[in-house]
Amino acid sequence: MKRTFSNLDRKALIREISQEHYDLVVIGGGITGAGILLDAASRGIKTLLLEKSDFASGTSSKSTKLIHGGLRYLKQLDLALVREVGTERAIVHSMAPHLVIPEKMLLPLVANGTYNKWLTSMGLMVYDFLASVAPDDQRRMLTREETLQKEPLLPRERIKGAGYYAEYRTDDARLTLENIKTALDHGGTAINYLAVTEFQYKEDTIGGLLAKDQVTGEELQIACSYVINATGPWVDDLRTLNKSMNGKELHLSKGVHLVFPGEKFPVRQSVYFDAPDGRMIFAIPRDRVTYVGTTDTTYQDNKDRVTTNIDDASYLINAVNSMFPDITLKMEDIVSSWAGLRPLIHEKGKSPSELSRKDEIFVSDSGLISIAGGKLTGYRKMAERAVDKVAERLKKHQDRTTSPCSTHTITLCGGPWLKGNEEVNSYIAQLTEILRCDGLDTDDARYLVHTYGKQADKIIGRYQKLIDGHPEERLLRAEFAFCTENEMILDPLDFFIRRTGRLYFRIESVASHTEVILSDYADTFNASQQEVALLRDRIREVVREHSNFANSIR
Ligand code: FAD
């Protein structure tokens, strides 16, 4: 029988975890850990993933949300990395075309800009070649007039032309979650809110760990043969716990994004533009908002509470206002924001922007396999390299042969889509027809499909059974029920932030639907009035922190 992926069954799952012996435990439920779980489980390796908070609550919900090739790595002449991430884009898109969506990028060329015409043209051509970009998606160089037609907000007098090329946008947290859910179909196990606190050793080699249930405070012992530390910004904390903090170390770099209402910053399409200091910034329209990012500054503070400060916000606002002369964004215009940490590998004398984004694997004397660095885009290859290390050890220690990596052939939950984009678009049209009868529209259908893929069928089925309330509210309640039963939420904020991205992209819907979701939460999880009151305060605080930026920083 297929196991549910719901915290309603948490007790049974915890009991099971404490009784089993796993070939492999993966610590960290960001995209790196999620990719490793899927890779290992699909090779027949019995694997458990442990996440101390919610899945994707670290960096993997705070990225620019692009599955992109590395133009900047080309500038650093890191051709192997350009080839790998460039090729990976199309593979990750094919695994989940509803979630990894083609997005054309405009790179405007301005006098004294970071990229001149020659570098951009040659760069994009090399990039197309290295990454085997499909002919339809290959780069074009645009004239000044063509550029201004694509994006009339650009400064007419400074624009010389543009590079126009293909990337993909995604929802990082959902990509993480769908990898985890797909891994469950291959026999993997995953649980959130369970923090690893100690390693256990058999003759100096790791043979298990202790983990603390963040809900009950209970400590449990987990038996396993191998452990991968995929904790992103926390990698060195786990290496310290393992007493193996030698050699290379992490350099954490903070990156911030700001969200503005579409009407305040109405770019027609995604733009990768020069900031006054020569760094490059993305402006990406999404639903009814435009988000802008990112910064890149060394960070040494609390990893569990990374926030946007006034310098971050001023820097990004200034970058937009400098490039787009008709736009005068102000602090008060910010409707949401997020801040995350890049777990980069330290190189002496280099600033965060200069540090390589390459991943590396460190193996300690006691067998802890730690993977650090890397990108969302390259997660599948990172997972392959990490699981190869486990496969080598299974062969050496237990004479077990496992199959090679096959994740490039696996369709993530939400599919399958035999006809790719075409089928995704016709499914959106089909859902629009259903929702239109109730006054909802294509935006709602598109949101559902890009968020859940074909799992939206289950949400619509539930929606149609709900009778009371406004259609928008009924749809949200149906989503909440789906996520409760199938996506392991434990807290309404898991739903509002990482399952639906609403805190960032539709923040007004969080405030307006808090009560109805709290009521469904209380019914489903049997929560007391006191618990609900605490949750209500926390949701309000989080919404205030994100939406009332101008006031909260004064
Ligand atoms: P995380 O997502 O941080 O996951 C680590 C997890 O480990 C966390 O959830 C944490 O709670 C858990 N953990 C820690 N300690 C324990 C413990 N003791 N027990 C159990 N669990 C534990 N890449 C791209 O390809 N495209 C982009 O557009 C892009 N934009 C970016 C923009 C910014 C601002 C930043 C910061 C990064 C960006 N990246 C991008 C890089 C990408 O987001 C990261 O490389 C990736 O998300 C890192 O994932 P991770 O799983 O390694 O780390």
Side-chain angles (χ1 to χ4, degrees), residues 307-319:
T307 52
T308 303
N309 65 33
I310 188 149
D311 291 340
D312 304 321
S314 307
Y315 174 86
L316 290 174
I317 286 180
N318 182 34

Side-chain angles (χ1 to χ4, degrees), residues 103-105 151 169 260 262 265-271 282-292 505:
E103 176 86 21
K104 287 283 186 197
M105 191 64 69
E151 188 42 75
R169 76 175 163 87
F260 298 96
F265 187 20
V267 271
R268 283 192 189 166
Q269 73 135 75
S270 293
V271 188
F282 289 103
I284 302 178
R286 182 165 181 147
D287 301 335
R288 295 163 208 159
V289 299
T290 299
Y291 67 96
V292 176
F505 301 116

Side-chain angles (χ1 to χ4, degrees), residues 30-80:
I31 190 66
T32 310
I36 292 170
L37 178 69
L38 176 59
D39 189 310
S42 60
R43 295 196 206 191
I45 299 172
K46 186 171 172 180
T47 308
L48 165 71
L49 180 146
L50 302 175
E51 164 55 50
K52 77 177 166 77
S53 175
D54 186 22
F55 302 117
S57 57
T59 307
S60 299
S61 53
K62 321 277 177 43
S63 77
T64 309
K65 306 178 193 294
L66 290 174
I67 296 297
H68 63 149
L71 254 195
R72 61 194 299 268
Y73 317 133
L74 197 60
K75 236 185 142 199
Q76 293 165 342
L77 291 177
D78 198 339
L79 300 189

Side-chain angles (χ1 to χ4, degrees), residues 524-543:
T524 319
F525 285 91
N526 212 3
S528 67
Q529 281 192 0
Q530 205 182 3
E531 284 166 326
V532 169
L534 283 174
L535 288 170
R536 180 180 296 114
D537 287 349
R538 260 187 355 97
I539 296 173
R540 284 187 182 156
E541 189 192 323
V542 168
V543 170

